[in-house]
Amino acid sequence: MNTVSAGAVEETALLDRVRKLVLGGDFPPGAPLSEVFLAQEFEVSRTPIREALKQLQHEGLVEIRPKVGTFVREPTRREIVELFQLKESFEGLAASLLARRGHVAELDVLERNVAESERAAEEQDADGYARLVHEFHWTIIRGADNRKLAEHYERLMNQLAYHRLVLRTVEHPGRILASTGEHRAVLTMIQNKDPFGAESAMRNHVYASSKEALSDNRPRRGGSAN
C-alpha cells in the first residue's frame, strides 16, 4: 500500500513539473515536446513521461499526433473567449466572497501587491508586473476560502495558458497602467466590504483583460473568429 501511494505521489509530482514546463513560456505554441528530452530533463524513463503527456492532452495543453509527436497546444480564439467568460464569473464570485470576509490575511497581501504593481507600472517593469498579476488573482481566489472554486479555477487557468497571455498583453501600450488602476478599484471595493461592488469591479477588469488578449490578431492554428 505504501509503495503504491509513494508511486502515485511521484506521478503527480512529475505531472506538475511537466505541466509547469509546458506553461512556462520556454516552449511556444506549436513547439515539439520530445519524450526523450523530457525523460532526460526529469531523470525518469519515457513511460511516466508518456502518461504525463496523455494527461496534459486531456487538459488541452498539448496535442499528441500519432506517429508524428507531441506539440504544445494554444487555445483557439473561441476557446479563449469561452475561458475568459468563465474566468470573469469565477473571479467576480471570489472577489465578492472575499469582501464578505472582512479583514483577513489575504487583504494585507493584496494591499502590498497593488502598491508594488503601481511602482512596476511607473517603472514599466513588464516582467515584475506579470509576476504581480498572478499573485493578485490567486490571492483573491485563495481569499474567497472556497476550495471547489480554487480547484476549478486552477484547471481553467492552465487551459487558458494564462502566463503566456499575460506576457503578451503587458507589452501593449498603456495596458500595465490601466490594469493597475483596475486592480486598485477591486481592492477598494474589497476594503469597503462591498461584495457587489467588488464583483462588478473584478468582472470589469477581467473583461478588459480579455479584450487585450483577443486584440492580438496573430492567426492561431485551428482557430476561428467566432
Coordinates of all heavy atoms in Angstrom, one line a residue, residues 153-211:
Y153 N -10.8 26.7 -10.8 CA -10.1 27.9 -11.3 C -8.7 27.5 -11.8 O -8.2 28.0 -12.8 CB -10.0 29.0 -10.2 CG -9.3 30.2 -10.6 CD1 -9.9 31.2 -11.4 CD2 -8.0 30.5 -10.2 CE1 -9.3 32.4 -11.8 CE2 -7.3 31.6 -10.6 CZ -8.0 32.6 -11.4 OH -7.3 33.7 -11.8
E154 N -8.0 26.7 -11.0 CA -6.7 26.2 -11.4 C -6.7 25.6 -12.8 O -5.8 25.8 -13.6 CB -6.1 25.3 -10.4 CG -4.6 24.9 -10.7 CD -4.0 24.1 -9.6 OE1 -4.7 23.6 -8.7 OE2 -2.7 24.0 -9.6
R155 N -7.6 24.7 -13.0 CA -7.7 24.0 -14.2 C -8.0 25.0 -15.4 O -7.5 24.9 -16.5 CB -8.8 22.9 -14.2 CG -8.9 22.1 -15.5 CD -9.6 20.8 -15.3 NE -9.5 20.0 -16.6 CZ -10.0 18.8 -16.7 NH1 -10.6 18.2 -15.7 NH2 -9.9 18.2 -17.9
L156 N -8.9 25.9 -15.1 CA -9.3 26.9 -16.1 C -8.0 27.7 -16.5 O -7.8 27.9 -17.7 CB -10.3 27.9 -15.5 CG -10.5 29.2 -16.2 CD1 -11.2 29.0 -17.6 CD2 -11.3 30.2 -15.4
M157 N -7.2 28.1 -15.5 CA -6.0 28.9 -15.8 C -5.0 28.1 -16.6 O -4.3 28.7 -17.5 CB -5.4 29.4 -14.5 CG -6.3 30.4 -13.8 SD -6.5 32.0 -14.7 CE -5.1 32.9 -14.1
N158 N -4.9 26.9 -16.3 CA -4.0 26.0 -17.1 C -4.5 25.9 -18.6 O -3.7 26.1 -19.5 CB -3.9 24.6 -16.5 CG -3.1 24.6 -15.2 OD1 -2.3 25.5 -14.9 ND2 -3.3 23.6 -14.4
Q159 N -5.7 25.7 -18.8 CA -6.3 25.6 -20.1 C -6.1 26.9 -20.9 O -5.9 26.9 -22.1 CB -7.8 25.2 -20.1 CG -8.0 23.8 -19.6 CD -9.5 23.4 -19.6 OE1 -10.3 24.3 -19.3 NE2 -9.8 22.2 -19.8
L160 N -6.2 28.0 -20.2 CA -6.1 29.3 -20.8 C -4.6 29.7 -21.1 O -4.4 30.6 -21.9 CB -6.7 30.4 -19.9 CG -6.9 31.8 -20.4 CD1 -7.8 31.8 -21.7 CD2 -7.6 32.7 -19.4
A161 N -3.7 28.9 -20.5 CA -2.3 29.2 -20.7 C -2.1 30.7 -20.4 O -1.5 31.4 -21.1 CB -1.8 28.9 -22.1
Y162 N -2.5 31.0 -19.2 CA -2.6 32.4 -18.8 C -1.3 33.2 -18.7 O -1.2 34.3 -19.1 CB -3.3 32.5 -17.4 CG -3.7 34.0 -17.1 CD1 -4.7 34.7 -17.8 CD2 -3.2 34.6 -16.0 CE1 -5.0 35.9 -17.5 CE2 -3.6 35.9 -15.6 CZ -4.5 36.6 -16.4 OH -4.9 37.8 -16.1
H163 N -0.2 32.4 -18.3 CA 1.1 33.1 -18.2 C 1.5 33.6 -19.6 O 2.0 34.7 -19.7 CB 2.1 32.1 -17.7 CG 3.5 32.7 -17.5 ND1 3.7 33.6 -16.6 CD2 4.6 32.4 -18.2 CE1 5.0 33.9 -16.6 NE2 5.6 33.3 -17.6
R164 N 1.3 32.9 -20.6 CA 1.7 33.3 -22.0 C 0.9 34.5 -22.4 O 1.4 35.5 -23.0 CB 1.5 32.2 -23.0 CG 2.5 31.0 -22.8 CD 2.6 30.2 -24.1 NE 1.4 29.6 -24.5 CZ 1.0 28.3 -24.3 NH1 1.9 27.6 -23.7 NH2 -0.1 27.8 -24.8
L165 N -0.4 34.6 -22.0 CA -1.3 35.7 -22.4 C -0.8 37.0 -21.6 O -0.8 38.0 -22.2 CB -2.7 35.4 -22.0 CG -3.4 34.4 -22.9 CD1 -4.9 34.2 -22.4 CD2 -3.5 34.8 -24.4
V166 N -0.5 36.8 -20.4 CA 0.0 38.0 -19.6 C 1.2 38.6 -20.2 O 1.3 39.8 -20.4 CB 0.2 37.6 -18.1 CG1 0.9 38.7 -17.4 CG2 -1.1 37.3 -17.4
L167 N 2.2 37.7 -20.5 CA 3.5 38.2 -21.1 C 3.2 38.9 -22.4 O 3.9 39.9 -22.7 CB 4.4 37.0 -21.3 CG 5.0 36.3 -20.0 CD1 5.8 35.1 -20.4 CD2 5.7 37.3 -19.2
R168 N 2.2 38.5 -23.1 CA 1.9 39.1 -24.4 C 1.2 40.5 -24.2 O 1.5 41.5 -24.8 CB 1.1 38.2 -25.2 CG 1.1 38.4 -26.7 CD 0.8 37.2 -27.5 NE -0.6 36.8 -27.3 CZ -1.0 35.5 -27.5 NH1 -0.2 34.6 -27.8 NH2 -2.3 35.2 -27.3
T169 N 0.2 40.5 -23.3 CA -0.6 41.7 -23.2 C 0.1 42.8 -22.4 O -0.3 44.0 -22.7 CB -2.0 41.4 -22.5 OG1 -1.7 40.8 -21.2 CG2 -2.8 40.4 -23.3
V170 N 1.0 42.5 -21.5 CA 1.7 43.6 -20.8 C 2.6 44.4 -21.8 O 3.0 45.5 -21.4 CB 2.6 43.1 -19.7 CG1 1.7 42.5 -18.6 CG2 3.6 42.1 -20.1
E171 N 2.8 43.9 -23.0 CA 3.6 44.6 -24.0 C 2.7 45.7 -24.7 O 3.2 46.5 -25.4 CB 4.2 43.7 -25.0 CG 5.2 42.7 -24.3 CD 5.7 41.7 -25.3 OE1 5.2 41.7 -26.5 OE2 6.6 40.9 -25.0
H172 N 1.4 45.6 -24.6 CA 0.5 46.5 -25.2 C 0.6 47.9 -24.6 O 0.6 48.0 -23.4 CB -0.9 46.1 -25.1 CG -1.2 44.8 -25.9 ND1 -2.4 44.2 -26.0 CD2 -0.4 43.9 -26.6 CE1 -2.4 43.1 -26.7 NE2 -1.1 42.9 -27.1
P173 N 0.8 49.0 -25.4 CA 0.9 50.3 -24.8 C -0.2 50.7 -23.9 O -1.4 50.6 -24.2 CB 1.0 51.2 -26.1 CG 1.5 50.3 -27.2 CD 0.9 48.9 -26.8
G174 N 0.1 51.1 -22.7 CA -0.8 51.6 -21.7 C -1.6 50.5 -20.9 O -2.3 50.9 -20.0
R175 N -1.3 49.3 -21.3 CA -2.1 48.2 -20.6 C -1.7 48.1 -19.1 O -2.6 47.9 -18.3 CB -2.0 46.9 -21.3 CG -2.8 45.7 -20.7 CD -4.2 46.1 -20.5 NE -4.9 45.3 -19.6 CZ -6.1 45.6 -18.9 NH1 -6.6 46.8 -19.1 NH2 -6.6 44.8 -18.1
I176 N -0.4 48.2 -18.8 CA 0.0 48.0 -17.4 C -0.6 49.0 -16.5 O -1.1 48.7 -15.5 CB 1.6 48.0 -17.3 CG1 2.2 46.8 -18.0 CG2 2.0 48.1 -15.9 CD1 3.7 46.8 -17.9
L177 N -0.6 50.3 -17.0 CA -1.2 51.4 -16.2 C -2.7 51.2 -16.0 O -3.2 51.4 -14.9 CB -0.9 52.7 -16.9 CG -1.2 54.0 -16.1 CD1 -0.4 54.0 -14.8 CD2 -0.9 55.2 -16.9
A178 N -3.4 50.8 -17.1 CA -4.8 50.6 -17.0 C -5.1 49.4 -16.1 O -6.1 49.5 -15.2 CB -5.4 50.4 -18.4
S179 N -4.4 48.4 -16.2 CA -4.6 47.2 -15.4 C -4.4 47.5 -13.9 O -5.2 47.0 -13.0 CB -3.7 46.0 -15.8 OG -3.9 44.9 -15.0
T180 N -3.4 48.3 -13.6 CA -3.1 48.6 -12.2 C -4.3 49.4 -11.6 O -4.7 49.2 -10.5 CB -1.8 49.4 -12.1 OG1 -0.7 48.7 -12.7 CG2 -1.5 49.8 -10.7
G181 N -4.8 50.3 -12.4 CA -6.0 51.1 -11.9 C -7.2 50.2 -11.7 O -7.9 50.4 -10.7
E182 N -7.3 49.1 -12.5 CA -8.4 48.2 -12.3 C -8.2 47.4 -11.0 O -9.2 47.1 -10.3 CB -8.5 47.3 -13.5 CG -9.0 48.0 -14.8 CD -8.6 47.3 -16.1 OE1 -8.2 46.2 -16.0 OE2 -8.7 48.0 -17.2
H183 N -7.0 47.0 -10.8 CA -6.7 46.3 -9.6 C -7.0 47.1 -8.3 O -7.5 46.6 -7.3 CB -5.2 45.9 -9.5 CG -4.8 44.7 -10.4 ND1 -3.6 44.1 -10.4 CD2 -5.6 44.1 -11.4 CE1 -3.6 43.1 -11.3 NE2 -4.8 43.1 -11.9
R184 N -6.6 48.4 -8.4 CA -6.9 49.3 -7.3 C -8.4 49.4 -7.0 O -8.8 49.5 -5.9 CB -6.3 50.7 -7.6 CG -6.6 51.8 -6.6 CD -6.1 51.5 -5.2 NE -4.6 51.6 -5.1 CZ -3.9 51.4 -4.0 NH1 -4.6 51.0 -2.8 NH2 -2.6 51.5 -3.9
A185 N -9.2 49.5 -8.1 CA -10.6 49.6 -7.9 C -11.2 48.3 -7.2 O -12.1 48.4 -6.4 CB -11.3 49.8 -9.3
V186 N -10.7 47.1 -7.6 CA -11.1 45.9 -7.0 C -10.8 45.9 -5.5 O -11.6 45.6 -4.6 CB -10.5 44.7 -7.7 CG1 -10.8 43.4 -6.9 CG2 -11.0 44.6 -9.1
L187 N -9.5 46.3 -5.2 CA -9.1 46.3 -3.8 C -9.9 47.3 -3.0 O -10.3 47.0 -1.8 CB -7.6 46.8 -3.8 CG -7.0 47.0 -2.4 CD1 -7.1 45.7 -1.5 CD2 -5.6 47.5 -2.5
T188 N -10.2 48.5 -3.5 CA -11.0 49.4 -2.8 C -12.4 48.9 -2.4 O -12.9 49.1 -1.3 CB -11.2 50.7 -3.6 OG1 -9.9 51.3 -3.9 CG2 -12.1 51.7 -2.9
M189 N -13.0 48.2 -3.3 CA -14.3 47.6 -3.1 C -14.2 46.5 -2.0 O -15.1 46.4 -1.1 CB -14.9 47.0 -4.3 CG -15.3 48.0 -5.4 SD -16.7 49.2 -4.8 CE -15.7 50.6 -4.5
I190 N -13.2 45.7 -2.0 CA -13.0 44.7 -1.0 C -12.7 45.3 0.4 O -13.3 44.9 1.4 CB -11.8 43.7 -1.4 CG1 -12.2 42.9 -2.7 CG2 -11.5 42.8 -0.3 CD1 -11.1 42.1 -3.2
Q191 N -11.9 46.4 0.4 CA -11.6 47.1 1.6 C -12.9 47.7 2.2 O -13.1 47.7 3.4 CB -10.6 48.2 1.4 CG -9.2 47.7 1.1 CD -8.3 48.8 0.7 OE1 -8.7 49.7 0.0 NE2 -7.0 48.7 1.1
N192 N -13.8 48.1 1.3 CA -15.1 48.7 1.8 C -16.1 47.7 2.2 O -17.2 48.0 2.5 CB -15.6 49.6 0.6 CG -14.8 50.9 0.4 OD1 -14.0 51.2 1.3 ND2 -15.0 51.5 -0.7
K193 N -15.7 46.4 2.1 CA -16.6 45.3 2.4 C -17.9 45.4 1.5 O -19.0 45.1 2.0 CB -17.0 45.3 3.9 CG -15.7 45.1 4.8 CD -16.1 45.2 6.2 CE -14.9 45.1 7.1 NZ -15.2 45.1 8.6
D194 N -17.7 45.7 0.3 CA -18.8 45.8 -0.7 C -18.8 44.7 -1.7 O -18.1 44.7 -2.7 CB -18.7 47.2 -1.4 CG -19.8 47.4 -2.4 OD1 -20.6 46.4 -2.7 OD2 -19.9 48.5 -3.0
P195 N -19.5 43.6 -1.4 CA -19.4 42.4 -2.2 C -19.9 42.6 -3.6 O -19.3 42.1 -4.6 CB -20.2 41.3 -1.5 CG -21.1 42.1 -0.6 CD -20.4 43.3 -0.2
F196 N -20.9 43.4 -3.8 CA -21.5 43.7 -5.1 C -20.5 44.6 -5.9 O -20.3 44.3 -7.1 CB -22.8 44.3 -5.0 CG -23.8 43.4 -4.3 CD1 -24.2 43.7 -3.0 CD2 -24.3 42.2 -4.9 CE1 -25.1 42.9 -2.3 CE2 -25.2 41.4 -4.2 CZ -25.6 41.8 -2.9
G197 N -20.0 45.6 -5.3 CA -19.0 46.4 -5.9 C -17.7 45.7 -6.3 O -17.2 45.9 -7.4
A198 N -17.3 44.8 -5.4 CA -16.1 44.0 -5.7 C -16.3 43.1 -6.9 O -15.4 43.0 -7.7 CB -15.7 43.2 -4.4
E199 N -17.4 42.4 -6.9 CA -17.7 41.5 -8.0 C -17.8 42.3 -9.3 O -17.2 41.9 -10.4 CB -19.0 40.8 -7.8 CG -19.3 39.9 -9.0 CD -20.5 38.9 -8.7 OE1 -21.0 38.9 -7.6 OE2 -20.8 38.1 -9.6
S200 N -18.4 43.5 -9.3 CA -18.5 44.3 -10.6 C -17.2 44.8 -11.0 O -16.8 44.7 -12.2 CB -19.5 45.5 -10.3 OG -19.5 46.3 -11.4
A201 N -16.4 45.3 -10.1 CA -15.0 45.8 -10.4 C -14.2 44.6 -11.0 O -13.4 44.8 -11.9 CB -14.4 46.4 -9.2
M202 N -14.3 43.5 -10.4 CA -13.5 42.3 -10.8 C -13.9 41.9 -12.2 O -13.1 41.6 -13.1 CB -13.6 41.2 -9.8 CG -12.5 40.1 -10.0 SD -10.9 40.8 -9.6 CE -9.8 39.6 -10.3
R203 N -15.2 41.8 -12.4 CA -15.7 41.4 -13.8 C -15.2 42.4 -14.8 O -14.9 42.0 -15.9 CB -17.2 41.3 -13.7 CG -17.8 40.0 -13.1 CD -19.3 40.0 -13.1 NE -19.8 38.7 -12.7 CZ -20.1 37.8 -13.6 NH1 -19.9 38.0 -14.9 NH2 -20.7 36.6 -13.2
N204 N -15.3 43.7 -14.5 CA -14.9 44.7 -15.5 C -13.4 44.5 -15.8 O -13.0 44.7 -17.0 CB -15.1 46.1 -14.9 CG -16.6 46.5 -14.9 OD1 -17.4 45.9 -15.6 ND2 -16.9 47.4 -14.0
H205 N -12.6 44.2 -14.8 CA -11.2 44.0 -15.0 C -10.9 42.8 -15.9 O -10.1 42.9 -16.9 CB -10.4 43.8 -13.7 CG -9.0 43.4 -13.8 ND1 -8.1 44.1 -14.6 CD2 -8.4 42.3 -13.3 CE1 -6.9 43.4 -14.5 NE2 -7.1 42.3 -13.7
V206 N -11.5 41.7 -15.6 CA -11.3 40.5 -16.4 C -11.8 40.7 -17.9 O -11.2 40.3 -18.8 CB -12.0 39.3 -15.8 CG1 -11.8 38.0 -16.7 CG2 -11.4 39.0 -14.4
Y207 N -12.9 41.4 -18.0 CA -13.4 41.7 -19.4 C -12.4 42.6 -20.2 O -12.1 42.3 -21.3 CB -14.8 42.4 -19.3 CG -15.3 42.8 -20.6 CD1 -15.8 41.8 -21.5 CD2 -15.4 44.1 -21.1 CE1 -16.3 42.1 -22.8 CE2 -15.9 44.4 -22.3 CZ -16.4 43.4 -23.2 OH -16.9 43.7 -24.4
A208 N -11.8 43.6 -19.5 CA -10.8 44.4 -20.1 C -9.6 43.6 -20.5 O -9.0 43.8 -21.6 CB -10.4 45.6 -19.2
S209 N -9.2 42.7 -19.7 CA -8.1 41.8 -19.9 C -8.4 40.9 -21.1 O -7.5 40.7 -22.0 CB -7.8 40.9 -18.7 OG -7.3 41.7 -17.6
S210 N -9.6 40.4 -21.2 CA -9.9 39.5 -22.3 C -9.9 40.3 -23.7 O -9.4 39.8 -24.7 CB -11.3 38.9 -22.1 OG -12.4 39.9 -22.3
K211 N -10.3 41.6 -23.7 CA -10.3 42.4 -24.9 C -8.8 42.6 -25.3 O -8.5 42.5 -26.5 CB -10.9 43.7 -24.6 CG -12.4 43.6 -24.5 CD -13.1 45.0 -24.2 CE -12.8 46.0 -25.3 NZ -13.5 47.3 -25.1

